[in-house]
Each structure stands twice: as structure tokens, then as C-alpha cells.
Amino acid sequence: MSPMAAAMLSSHPNVMPNVTAPAATAGSARLLLLLRRRRHGRPQAVRSINRPDPSDPFPGTLGISRVDWKASCAFLSSKAAAGPGSSSDKPLSPSGDPPAADPEPDDDDDGKGGNHRLSAAINGVRTAGAGALDLVPISNLPRPLTIADLSPAPMHGSRLRVAYQGVPGAYSEAAAGKAYPNCEAIPCDQFEVAFQAVELWIADRAVLPVENSLGGSIHRNYDLLLRHRLHIVGEVQLPVHHCLLALPGVRKEYLTRVMSHPQALAQCELTLTRLGLNVTREAFDDTAGAAEHVANNGLRDTAAIASARAAELYGLQVLADGIQDDSSNVTRFVMLAREPIIPRTDRPFKTSIVFAHDREGTSVLFKVLSAFAFRDISLTKIESRPHRHRPIRLVDDANVGTAKHFEYMFYVDFEASMADTRAQNALAEIQEFTSFLRVLGSYPMDMTPWGAPSSSTNPPPPPPSCSAPPSS
């Protein structure tokens, strides 16, 4: 034990140990003087112990070495943590001396009382109300945050928080359940909110539609993919089965209005005409939301186009089942996450990119498509959207503004993994003659047949990757 520790832990506080001059520094002499004054009823202020000494090598450590200081404090804390019943558990009198009925701490067998007050004085902590000094309980200290507090990483689909646009009963909820079985689905009133829910760690994933086999692309989500920094980690294709829903007892000939999402209204336009319904079409935020609106407001002249599950949830009857114009009506959803997944080559993968060019003419677009064609890479989709930051470009060289046309961003999906050398070489070539190129994600393809019905009771088995969609 160091000389300083021996001085602090003396068996009798009124007996000064023999400490040689080199070991007893100015800081240690002050501490020993404090101990002696403490025993004679002249307590010192706590701040005097922590007053810095210019000669101290480490300010605030009383001139002793850092190793000795830590060893002494650890020993004092262990002595102060002795069981109840010791003299250290009794409060001090206002003058700083122990109560008269209590023996002096140095009369204890192990001196726990004196060590307890000394360690409390060193820590500078005063017990509220009692006027006594005490250590901070270890159990009250804050627990350090772990990665589990910020981003739980459960097994695939095991209570994974998945955001979707709509209300319970929406097709997006069914897509989230198909992509991540047994997940905790989080409804959002807008597509933008679903993106932000993942960015703000409210949700772990988002499942959002990007295209339908009848209605085409959902352009809003293509724009949001570019605006936000989320990554596509999978896709899921969901067969859509529309139903005409109304309040119980309502007949089709009494209807004057039909409400649903614009995509659903477009997908059922011909069938509504064949049913002889002379009704107005009214767009709503989502299909299940339209069903909820009809039920909550008791609209007996209005029907909604939604799923059979929405009819069960909101107490509506099904007036007509399967009213989509095409029986093979499928919506493609993408699964979004904060981090990308590691691409692989042991199963079919798809990669989505977006690019723009600042050169005139169509040669750049031709070169991009040629980069894939020369490497035998199949393109599954190409989508153009107006350039938000530079929507108009002058055509003539005189720059007088006589002719203008739109600038576009191009979204491309192709069947190859980023782990494939062909895809890497193709993107390296494309980057040479484009002004902007971004990989939105490289993810497993959904190989489920389009004709297979969606079933919540028999979900497909999860893939090996926790972020991958189910496969057949």
C-alpha cells in the first residue's frame, strides 16, 4: 500500500503514522491535518479539500499519484458500503461531531464510521435533509445506452417495426405482413411520413408501393426515393383483390358515390360501368381509409373500393367481389431501410439506380442502355421524372430562350446484383458520361408467382437474410 493510503487508513485517527518527507507531499499534509481537526470537532469545508495546489502534478488529487488516489478511493468506498448498523449510518450533529449516545468512530473495531465520512467528504456529496455526507448509490447512476436502445435488431419479422401508408386494412398493410411476417405494422397517413418514420428510428422498415400492373407507376414514391436517403432492401409483389363495400342493408341501386384511392378507382373503372352504377368517383387517401370514412360517417349513399379485410374491420358488407378490371392485378412494393444489405450472387437480385445527364441529345441515354445491353443485363423498368432542380433546358445555342424542353431524371431497374462484376463494370461506364448517378439499392427479387393469393395464415418462409423479402 502507498504511504498516502496508509496515512488515510490508520487504525487510530489520533495517532499519526510515520511518513517520510519525500512521500508526504503538501497535499497529503493538508489531508492529514483535516483528519485530526475532524476528530477534535473542527470540521473543514468540503471545498477546501478540492482547492487546487499549484504544486500538485494532477490538480484535485491532493498531490498524490493518480494510482494511489484511485486505490485509496476504492478502498474507502468499499469500507463505506459496509452493512447497516455501523456508526456510519447515524447522522452527524450540526456541529459535525457524532451523537453523544454513539461511540466515536475510532472505537469501532474496523473504523468504518471515520472512513465513511472521509470518503463522503472527498466525493463532496451531502445527504438531503439529514445534513450528513454520503456516497452516491451506484444503483442510481444512469445506465449507458447500448445499440439495442436505439435500433433493435430482432430476427426476421420478429416484431420488426414496419411503416406503411394507410390505415389498418390497407393493401400496404398486407404487403408489410407478407414481406415481414409477424411484424408490428405502423400506419402512416402519408408516404412522406413513412419515409420519415424510418429516418427518425420510429420504424425499422417501410413498405411502399411503386407500381401497379394496371395503374402504372406511383410517381410520388419515385420522387421521395430521390429526396430521402433510405435504401431499397427488398421487394414484394401483392395480388390486389378489390371489393365494393357499403353499410349493411344498402343496395347498389341506391349508391350515388364511390370513394377510394385514385389507383383503385382507375383499376375498377370498366367494372363499375358494367355494373350499371351511375355514381361519381371521389378520390381518397387510401382504400381502407375510404372504407373507414363510410363506416364512421354512416354514409348510406356512398360505397368504398377496398379489401375484404377492410370490410371486416369496419363492419361493412361486400356488394361486389373482385371488381378489378383485370384479374391479374398486382402491385409491386419496395422495402426500405436506413442501411443497405450486402448484395449476393447465390439468388436472383435486382438493382435500382437513378441518373441524370447534362448533355444535349439522346446519345447519353443510348449509351446508358448500351452499357447494360453489351453485358447481357436485362432491364426490368425505366422511368423518367422531371428534374426538380433544373426542370427546363434551352435547346438553341443562342441562349435566347426560343425553344425549351424538360430535363429528366431516369430510374432504371435491372436484373443483376452489385456483387456481380458485370453490374459493377456497367455502372463504372455509366458514371463516365452522366452528371449524377445513385444506387437506390441492390436487393433480392420476389420470386412469388403473381397468381398466388396472399395469405396471412400461411406466410412464406423467411429468407436467410433478415432484410430480404420472402421467396418461393
Side-chain angles (χ1 to χ4, degrees):
M1 182 181 296
S2 66
M4 185 58 196
M8 296 171 65
L9 303 177
S10 174
S11 60
H12 201 288
N14 295 326
V15 178
M16 291 293 294
N18 294 326
V19 182
T20 59
T25 63
S28 62
R30 288 201 313 275
L31 180 59
L32 295 175
L33 179 60
L34 172 65
L35 290 174
R36 298 193 65 181
R37 289 183 177 179
R38 185 71 171 175
R39 301 296 169 249
H40 291 82
R42 295 191 301 273
Q44 289 278 22
V46 175
R47 63 178 179 274
S48 64
I49 298 179
N50 298 323
R51 184 177 300 159
D53 191 328
S55 63
D56 286 351
F58 300 98
T61 58
L62 306 179
I64 62 176
S65 67
R66 187 178 296 273
V67 176
D68 293 341
W69 173 258
K70 290 183 177 180
S72 303
C73 290
F75 189 85
L76 289 174
S77 298
S78 63
K79 300 290 288 182
S86 64
S87 60
S88 60
D89 297 327
K90 304 298 177 61
L92 295 175
S93 64
S95 62
D97 294 330
D102 222 17
E104 277 288 319
D106 48 349
D107 293 338
D108 293 342
D109 295 337
D110 54 0
K112 288 189 287 241
N115 291 331
H116 177 73
R117 283 192 292 272
L118 173 61
S119 59
I122 292 174
N123 286 275
V125 181
R126 182 174 298 275
T127 304
L133 298 176
D134 201 357
L135 291 172
V136 177
I138 299 299
S139 60
N140 292 345
L141 295 178
R143 180 179 62 85
L145 288 176
T146 64
I147 191 65
D149 297 318
L150 300 177
S151 176
M155 298 292 290
H156 175 82
S158 177
R159 306 311 298 168
L160 203 69
R161 299 167 300 181
V162 180
Y164 69 93
Q165 189 274 332
V167 298
Y171 293 107
S172 294
E173 183 194 32
K178 181 181 179 182
Y180 300 103
N182 303 320
C183 69
E184 179 186 352
I186 302 176
C188 304
D189 61 349
Q190 300 177 29
F191 292 129
E192 176 88 19
V193 176
F195 277 86
Q196 293 179 356
V198 179
E199 290 179 329
L200 299 177
W201 298 78
I202 300 174
D204 303 298
R205 301 286 189 274
V207 175
L208 298 171
V210 290
E211 60 179 330
N212 178 264
S213 58
L214 298 181
S217 300
I218 293 105
H219 298 128
R220 175 61 177 166
N221 282 334
Y222 274 98
D223 295 338
L224 292 175
L225 282 172
L226 187 60
R227 181 181 303 177
H228 296 269
R229 298 298 299 180
L230 299 183
H231 302 269
I232 303 177
V233 297
E235 68 173 0
V236 59
Q237 298 171 353
L238 183 75
V240 177
H241 192 80
H242 289 310
C243 300
L244 187 65
L245 311 180
L247 290 172
V250 174
R251 300 173 60 178
K252 289 186 291 185
E253 51 267 27
Y254 297 153
L255 297 176
T256 61
R257 182 174 55 169
V258 173
M259 304 174 62
S260 191
H261 189 273
Q263 285 274 350
L265 292 173
Q267 295 164 14
C268 303
E269 181 64 33
L270 297 179
T271 304
L272 292 177
T273 303
R274 285 198 301 265
L275 291 175
L277 298 179
N278 186 18
V279 294
T280 60
R281 279 71 163 167
E282 183 172 329
F284 211 81
D285 291 338
D286 61 276
T287 57
E292 181 185 33
H293 181 76
V294 171
N296 291 343
N297 293 276
L299 304 178
R300 304 192 65 85
D301 63 340
T302 305
I305 297 177
S307 64
R309 170 172 163 77
E312 298 175 0
L313 290 176
Y314 304 112
L316 300 178
Q317 64 172 337
V318 178
L319 296 179
D321 192 7
I323 63 172
Q324 62 273 6
D325 297 338
D326 192 336
S327 59
S328 59
N329 184 17
V330 178
T331 298
R332 175 174 171 252
F333 296 79
V334 292
M335 300 132 69
L336 305 175
R338 289 179 292 271
E339 299 294 336
I341 62 173
I342 300 176
R344 294 153 47 180
T345 57
D346 59 345
R347 60 174 297 176
F349 258 65
K350 181 183 292 185
T351 302
S352 298
I353 65 172
V354 56
F355 66 89
H357 62 85
D358 53 4
R359 302 179 185 178
E360 297 183 7
T362 59
S363 60
V364 173
L365 182 57
F366 173 79
K367 292 178 181 179
V368 170
L369 300 180
S370 299
F372 294 109
F374 291 159
R375 293 170 176 85
D376 197 23
I377 298 177
S378 299
L379 271 63
T380 59
K381 181 177 179 61
I382 180 169
E383 179 82 23
S384 62
R385 295 290 296 156
H387 200 304
R388 296 178 59 89
H389 301 291
R390 193 180 57 200
I392 301 295
R393 180 164 59 90
L394 299 176
V395 176
D396 56 334
D397 296 333
N399 198 23
V400 295
T402 57
K404 302 178 182 179
H405 66 75
F406 282 103
E407 282 285 334
Y408 290 97
M409 307 287 293
F410 294 94
Y411 295 81
V412 173
D413 295 343
F414 58 90
E415 294 182 352
S417 170
M418 281 298 296
D420 191 341
T421 306
R422 297 178 306 153
Q424 297 174 11
N425 294 336
L427 294 183
E429 180 180 341
I430 294 172
Q431 195 171 15
E432 294 180 359
F433 42 81
T434 55
S435 59
F436 170 78
L437 173 63
R438 175 180 162 190
V439 178
L440 299 174
S442 186
Y443 47 92
M445 297 174 58
D446 184 5
M447 304 303 292
T448 305
W450 279 18
S454 176
S455 175
S456 58
T457 57
N458 296 312
S465 171
C466 65
S467 301
S471 62
S472 58

